mmCIF file of all heavy atoms in Angstrom:
data_model
loop_
_atom_site.group_PDB
_atom_site.id
_atom_site.type_symbol
_atom_site.label_atom_id
_atom_site.label_comp_id
_atom_site.label_asym_id
_atom_site.label_seq_id
_atom_site.Cartn_x
_atom_site.Cartn_y
_atom_site.Cartn_z
ATOM 1 N N LYS A 144 -58.917 122.267 73.160
ATOM 2 C CA LYS A 144 -58.650 122.458 71.759
ATOM 3 C C LYS A 144 -59.220 121.314 70.915
ATOM 4 O O LYS A 144 -59.893 121.529 69.886
ATOM 5 C CB LYS A 144 -57.161 122.653 71.528
ATOM 6 C CG LYS A 144 -56.735 122.751 70.000
ATOM 7 C CD LYS A 144 -57.272 124.069 69.444
ATOM 8 C CE LYS A 144 -56.763 124.219 67.995
ATOM 9 N NZ LYS A 144 -57.264 125.474 67.392
ATOM 10 N N ILE A 145 -58.953 120.093 71.317
ATOM 11 C CA ILE A 145 -59.405 118.872 70.566
ATOM 12 C C ILE A 145 -60.211 118.042 71.495
ATOM 13 O O ILE A 145 -59.761 117.723 72.619
ATOM 14 C CB ILE A 145 -58.208 118.179 69.985
ATOM 15 C CG1 ILE A 145 -57.393 119.041 68.998
ATOM 16 C CG2 ILE A 145 -58.630 116.872 69.263
ATOM 17 C CD1 ILE A 145 -56.062 118.459 68.523
ATOM 18 N N ILE A 146 -61.314 117.499 71.076
ATOM 19 C CA ILE A 146 -62.185 116.645 71.828
ATOM 20 C C ILE A 146 -62.450 115.399 71.021
ATOM 21 O O ILE A 146 -62.866 115.420 69.845
ATOM 22 C CB ILE A 146 -63.522 117.299 72.189
ATOM 23 C CG1 ILE A 146 -63.240 118.585 72.967
ATOM 24 C CG2 ILE A 146 -64.354 116.359 73.026
ATOM 25 C CD1 ILE A 146 -64.528 119.437 73.198
ATOM 26 N N THR A 147 -62.256 114.247 71.638
ATOM 27 C CA THR A 147 -62.502 112.957 70.985
ATOM 28 C C THR A 147 -63.678 112.226 71.695
ATOM 29 O O THR A 147 -63.707 112.154 72.925
ATOM 30 C CB THR A 147 -61.261 112.020 70.986
ATOM 31 O OG1 THR A 147 -60.283 112.571 70.149
ATOM 32 C CG2 THR A 147 -61.629 110.628 70.569
ATOM 33 N N VAL A 148 -64.595 111.729 70.911
ATOM 34 C CA VAL A 148 -65.722 110.897 71.456
ATOM 35 C C VAL A 148 -65.327 109.448 71.328
ATOM 36 O O VAL A 148 -65.159 108.950 70.265
ATOM 37 C CB VAL A 148 -66.998 111.173 70.708
ATOM 38 C CG1 VAL A 148 -68.113 110.356 71.280
ATOM 39 C CG2 VAL A 148 -67.367 112.683 70.794
ATOM 40 N N ALA A 149 -65.195 108.833 72.451
ATOM 41 C CA ALA A 149 -64.800 107.342 72.479
ATOM 42 C C ALA A 149 -65.741 106.583 73.482
ATOM 43 O O ALA A 149 -65.294 105.952 74.426
ATOM 44 C CB ALA A 149 -63.343 107.212 72.917
ATOM 45 N N VAL A 150 -67.098 106.760 73.222
ATOM 46 C CA VAL A 150 -68.050 106.188 74.187
ATOM 47 C C VAL A 150 -68.424 104.785 73.946
ATOM 48 O O VAL A 150 -69.128 104.201 74.827
ATOM 49 C CB VAL A 150 -69.329 107.098 74.183
ATOM 50 C CG1 VAL A 150 -68.981 108.516 74.657
ATOM 51 C CG2 VAL A 150 -69.970 107.120 72.822
ATOM 52 N N GLY A 151 -68.012 104.174 72.891
ATOM 53 C CA GLY A 151 -68.296 102.769 72.634
ATOM 54 C C GLY A 151 -69.833 102.551 72.275
ATOM 55 O O GLY A 151 -70.512 103.504 71.800
ATOM 56 N N GLY A 152 -70.289 101.351 72.504
ATOM 57 C CA GLY A 152 -71.688 101.010 72.215
ATOM 58 C C GLY A 152 -72.428 100.492 73.380
ATOM 59 O O GLY A 152 -71.897 100.407 74.494
ATOM 60 N N TRP A 153 -73.676 100.123 73.160
ATOM 61 C CA TRP A 153 -74.569 99.682 74.245
ATOM 62 C C TRP A 153 -75.551 98.643 73.686
ATOM 63 O O TRP A 153 -76.022 98.816 72.602
ATOM 64 C CB TRP A 153 -75.394 100.867 74.794
ATOM 65 C CG TRP A 153 -75.928 100.629 76.149
ATOM 66 C CD1 TRP A 153 -77.213 100.306 76.515
ATOM 67 C CD2 TRP A 153 -75.217 100.703 77.439
ATOM 68 N NE1 TRP A 153 -77.384 100.186 77.844
ATOM 69 C CE2 TRP A 153 -76.144 100.347 78.479
ATOM 70 C CE3 TRP A 153 -73.907 100.891 77.757
ATOM 71 C CZ2 TRP A 153 -75.833 100.316 79.786
ATOM 72 C CZ3 TRP A 153 -73.556 100.887 79.075
ATOM 73 C CH2 TRP A 153 -74.547 100.595 80.104
ATOM 74 N N PRO A 154 -75.848 97.572 74.403
ATOM 75 C CA PRO A 154 -76.770 96.567 73.938
ATOM 76 C C PRO A 154 -78.173 97.143 73.618
ATOM 77 O O PRO A 154 -78.594 98.069 74.311
ATOM 78 C CB PRO A 154 -76.787 95.530 75.071
ATOM 79 C CG PRO A 154 -75.572 95.771 75.856
ATOM 80 C CD PRO A 154 -75.296 97.225 75.756
ATOM 81 N N PHE A 155 -78.808 96.564 72.618
ATOM 82 C CA PHE A 155 -80.136 97.012 72.227
ATOM 83 C C PHE A 155 -81.182 95.965 72.459
ATOM 84 O O PHE A 155 -80.976 94.777 72.137
ATOM 85 C CB PHE A 155 -80.051 97.367 70.744
ATOM 86 C CG PHE A 155 -81.421 97.614 70.104
ATOM 87 C CD1 PHE A 155 -82.049 98.834 70.354
ATOM 88 C CD2 PHE A 155 -82.049 96.706 69.309
ATOM 89 C CE1 PHE A 155 -83.298 99.063 69.826
ATOM 90 C CE2 PHE A 155 -83.295 96.972 68.748
ATOM 91 C CZ PHE A 155 -83.920 98.168 69.027
ATOM 92 N N VAL A 156 -82.281 96.395 72.998
ATOM 93 C CA VAL A 156 -83.449 95.467 73.259
ATOM 94 C C VAL A 156 -84.560 95.914 72.250
ATOM 95 O O VAL A 156 -84.969 97.101 72.347
ATOM 96 C CB VAL A 156 -83.970 95.585 74.722
ATOM 97 C CG1 VAL A 156 -85.098 94.616 74.819
ATOM 98 C CG2 VAL A 156 -82.829 95.128 75.657
ATOM 99 N N PRO A 157 -85.023 95.025 71.423
ATOM 100 C CA PRO A 157 -86.059 95.411 70.466
ATOM 101 C C PRO A 157 -87.295 95.862 71.057
ATOM 102 O O PRO A 157 -87.649 95.661 72.251
ATOM 103 C CB PRO A 157 -86.361 94.060 69.706
ATOM 104 C CG PRO A 157 -85.103 93.204 69.933
ATOM 105 C CD PRO A 157 -84.653 93.630 71.330
ATOM 106 N N GLU A 158 -88.000 96.771 70.357
ATOM 107 C CA GLU A 158 -89.280 97.352 70.837
ATOM 108 C C GLU A 158 -90.424 96.319 70.751
ATOM 109 O O GLU A 158 -91.203 96.306 69.842
ATOM 110 C CB GLU A 158 -89.595 98.589 69.983
ATOM 111 C CG GLU A 158 -88.600 99.735 70.184
ATOM 112 C CD GLU A 158 -88.725 100.431 71.566
ATOM 113 O OE1 GLU A 158 -89.716 100.190 72.204
ATOM 114 O OE2 GLU A 158 -87.760 101.114 71.860
ATOM 115 N N ILE A 159 -90.499 95.475 71.769
ATOM 116 C CA ILE A 159 -91.617 94.471 71.839
ATOM 117 C C ILE A 159 -92.309 94.689 73.157
ATOM 118 O O ILE A 159 -91.769 95.208 74.112
ATOM 119 C CB ILE A 159 -91.102 93.048 71.742
ATOM 120 C CG1 ILE A 159 -90.088 92.739 72.817
ATOM 121 C CG2 ILE A 159 -90.421 92.819 70.307
ATOM 122 C CD1 ILE A 159 -89.675 91.314 72.958
ATOM 123 N N PRO A 160 -93.550 94.268 73.253
ATOM 124 C CA PRO A 160 -94.244 94.328 74.540
ATOM 125 C C PRO A 160 -93.507 93.545 75.631
ATOM 126 O O PRO A 160 -93.104 92.438 75.413
ATOM 127 C CB PRO A 160 -95.625 93.736 74.307
ATOM 128 C CG PRO A 160 -95.833 93.901 72.801
ATOM 129 C CD PRO A 160 -94.527 93.801 72.182
ATOM 130 N N GLY A 161 -93.304 94.217 76.763
ATOM 131 C CA GLY A 161 -92.580 93.521 77.868
ATOM 132 C C GLY A 161 -91.091 93.562 77.808
ATOM 133 O O GLY A 161 -90.370 92.857 78.547
ATOM 134 N N ARG A 162 -90.537 94.425 76.930
ATOM 135 C CA ARG A 162 -89.128 94.503 76.704
ATOM 136 C C ARG A 162 -88.346 94.873 78.029
ATOM 137 O O ARG A 162 -87.203 94.487 78.216
ATOM 138 C CB ARG A 162 -88.757 95.526 75.694
ATOM 139 C CG ARG A 162 -89.058 96.994 76.019
ATOM 140 C CD ARG A 162 -88.906 97.931 74.823
ATOM 141 N NE ARG A 162 -87.503 97.993 74.350
ATOM 142 C CZ ARG A 162 -86.619 98.808 74.856
ATOM 143 N NH1 ARG A 162 -86.912 99.626 75.847
ATOM 144 N NH2 ARG A 162 -85.384 98.815 74.339
ATOM 145 N N GLU A 163 -89.032 95.482 78.925
ATOM 146 C CA GLU A 163 -88.394 95.858 80.181
ATOM 147 C C GLU A 163 -88.067 94.641 81.081
ATOM 148 O O GLU A 163 -87.261 94.698 82.047
ATOM 149 C CB GLU A 163 -89.271 96.824 81.004
ATOM 150 C CG GLU A 163 -90.524 96.233 81.573
ATOM 151 C CD GLU A 163 -91.660 96.129 80.535
ATOM 152 O OE1 GLU A 163 -91.427 96.563 79.385
ATOM 153 O OE2 GLU A 163 -92.762 95.683 80.913
ATOM 154 N N LEU A 164 -88.612 93.504 80.722
ATOM 155 C CA LEU A 164 -88.351 92.251 81.488
ATOM 156 C C LEU A 164 -87.100 91.560 81.036
ATOM 157 O O LEU A 164 -86.615 90.676 81.735
ATOM 158 C CB LEU A 164 -89.580 91.276 81.319
ATOM 159 C CG LEU A 164 -90.928 91.827 81.789
ATOM 160 C CD1 LEU A 164 -92.018 90.799 81.505
ATOM 161 C CD2 LEU A 164 -90.904 92.087 83.315
ATOM 162 N N ALA A 165 -86.596 91.894 79.861
ATOM 163 C CA ALA A 165 -85.424 91.302 79.336
ATOM 164 C C ALA A 165 -84.105 91.962 79.912
ATOM 165 O O ALA A 165 -84.123 93.080 80.386
ATOM 166 C CB ALA A 165 -85.416 91.397 77.831
ATOM 167 N N ILE A 166 -83.083 91.180 79.870
ATOM 168 C CA ILE A 166 -81.786 91.700 80.257
ATOM 169 C C ILE A 166 -80.853 91.663 79.004
ATOM 170 O O ILE A 166 -81.245 91.044 77.946
ATOM 171 C CB ILE A 166 -81.115 90.888 81.449
ATOM 172 C CG1 ILE A 166 -80.718 89.468 80.924
ATOM 173 C CG2 ILE A 166 -82.011 90.788 82.606
ATOM 174 C CD1 ILE A 166 -79.861 88.678 81.884
ATOM 175 N N THR A 167 -79.694 92.267 79.167
ATOM 176 C CA THR A 167 -78.683 92.182 78.076
ATOM 177 C C THR A 167 -77.473 91.543 78.633
ATOM 178 O O THR A 167 -77.393 91.139 79.819
ATOM 179 C CB THR A 167 -78.372 93.544 77.532
ATOM 180 O OG1 THR A 167 -77.640 94.303 78.590
ATOM 181 C CG2 THR A 167 -79.624 94.348 77.234
ATOM 182 N N SER A 168 -76.413 91.411 77.812
ATOM 183 C CA SER A 168 -75.111 90.839 78.231
ATOM 184 C C SER A 168 -74.617 91.680 79.410
ATOM 185 O O SER A 168 -73.854 91.107 80.327
ATOM 186 C CB SER A 168 -74.161 90.764 77.116
ATOM 187 O OG SER A 168 -73.946 92.079 76.500
ATOM 188 N N ASN A 169 -74.860 92.971 79.506
ATOM 189 C CA ASN A 169 -74.395 93.811 80.600
ATOM 190 C C ASN A 169 -74.862 93.242 81.976
ATOM 191 O O ASN A 169 -74.044 92.972 82.870
ATOM 192 C CB ASN A 169 -74.847 95.208 80.442
ATOM 193 C CG ASN A 169 -74.047 95.917 79.383
ATOM 194 O OD1 ASN A 169 -73.191 95.453 78.763
ATOM 195 N ND2 ASN A 169 -74.484 97.187 79.179
ATOM 196 N N GLU A 170 -76.124 92.916 82.060
ATOM 197 C CA GLU A 170 -76.741 92.509 83.301
ATOM 198 C C GLU A 170 -76.374 91.073 83.633
ATOM 199 O O GLU A 170 -76.325 90.590 84.762
ATOM 200 C CB GLU A 170 -78.238 92.630 83.356
ATOM 201 C CG GLU A 170 -78.726 94.122 83.314
ATOM 202 C CD GLU A 170 -78.686 94.749 81.922
ATOM 203 O OE1 GLU A 170 -78.874 93.966 80.895
ATOM 204 O OE2 GLU A 170 -78.325 95.944 81.795
#
Side-chain angles (χ1 to χ4, degrees):
K144 174 66 175 180
I145 299 173
I146 302 172
T147 290
V148 178
V150 296
W153 199 258
F155 170 75
V156 179
E158 294 289 344
I159 60 171
R162 67 188 297 272
E163 70 279 0
L164 300 174
I166 68 168
T167 69
S168 55
N169 285 356
E170 294 79 35

